[in-house]
Amino acid sequence: MNASELEKLIQECHAAKEKAYAPYSKFRVGAAVLCEDGQIIQGCNVENVSHGHGLCAERAALVRAVSLGYRKFKAISVTTDVTDKWTYPCGSCRQFIVEFGNDLDIYLVKTDSTYKKVNIKDILPYPFQDTFLP
């Protein structure tokens, strides 16, 4: 990924965060996924009064990308309103991300656009795999 793509990926996750629906936790999250062809797809968290039925931003971005026909991705960026520490994808999102690439880079982005790059295989070293396939 080049510097221009990274800059746009960071901008898009910030823009996605502004669309978050988080009336219960007030924890807004935005994500953006960079598709293999350079297209960037946004996703935001969407909470529900029945808390277990909410949707994380990372999964929202990937589901939207898949529904548009994308299957191969270069990277994902994620941001929140937290300023003093890095916010990593939750365990469910990590497993969801690895479904679409077991070597994807994830950019954790703070409000001032500083970022930390991690790789999915480093934050989910032992993903669940389909053990029924030959």
Side-chain angles (χ1 to χ4, degrees):
M1 174 173 38
N2 63 44
S4 174
E5 286 177 317
L6 178 56
E7 183 178 333
K8 182 72 172 159
L9 189 64
I10 289 171
Q11 290 172 353
E12 292 291 323
C13 74
H14 283 303
K17 181 184 71 176
E18 297 304 316
K19 299 171 188 167
Y21 179 73
Y24 308 104
S25 72
K26 309 293 190 240
F27 186 70
R28 300 182 312 158
V29 184
V33 60
L34 176 62
C35 302
E36 193 172 64
D37 71 353
Q39 181 73 26
I40 296 176
I41 308 295
Q42 294 180 358
C44 63
N45 62 318
V46 179
E47 293 182 349
N48 186 277
V49 68
S50 177
H51 298 295
H53 292 103
L55 182 64
C56 297
E58 300 91 329
R59 285 183 278 157
L62 284 166
V63 166
R64 185 168 178 227
V66 168
S67 70
L68 292 171
Y70 294 100
R71 298 291 188 276
K72 296 187 185 254
F73 309 104
K74 290 182 177 181
I76 298 172
S77 61
V78 183
T79 193
T80 68
D81 292 319
V82 176
T83 59
D84 61 337
K85 59 185 172 183
W86 303 108
T87 303
Y88 288 80
C90 73
S92 294
C93 285
R94 293 176 195 198
Q95 182 65 48
F96 204 86
I97 290 166
V98 83
E99 179 76 16
F100 298 99
N102 62 2
D103 196 29
L104 278 175
D105 287 328
I106 302 168
Y107 291 85
L108 312 174
V109 182
K110 290 186 180 178
T111 56
D112 65 358
S113 293
T114 57
Y115 66 88
K116 175 180 182 177
K117 181 174 106 172
V118 298
N119 189 281
I120 189 63
K121 65 185 172 195
D122 295 325
I123 64 171
L124 185 66
Y126 304 104
F128 178 81
Q129 298 174 349
D130 189 345
T131 57
F132 300 106
L133 294 177

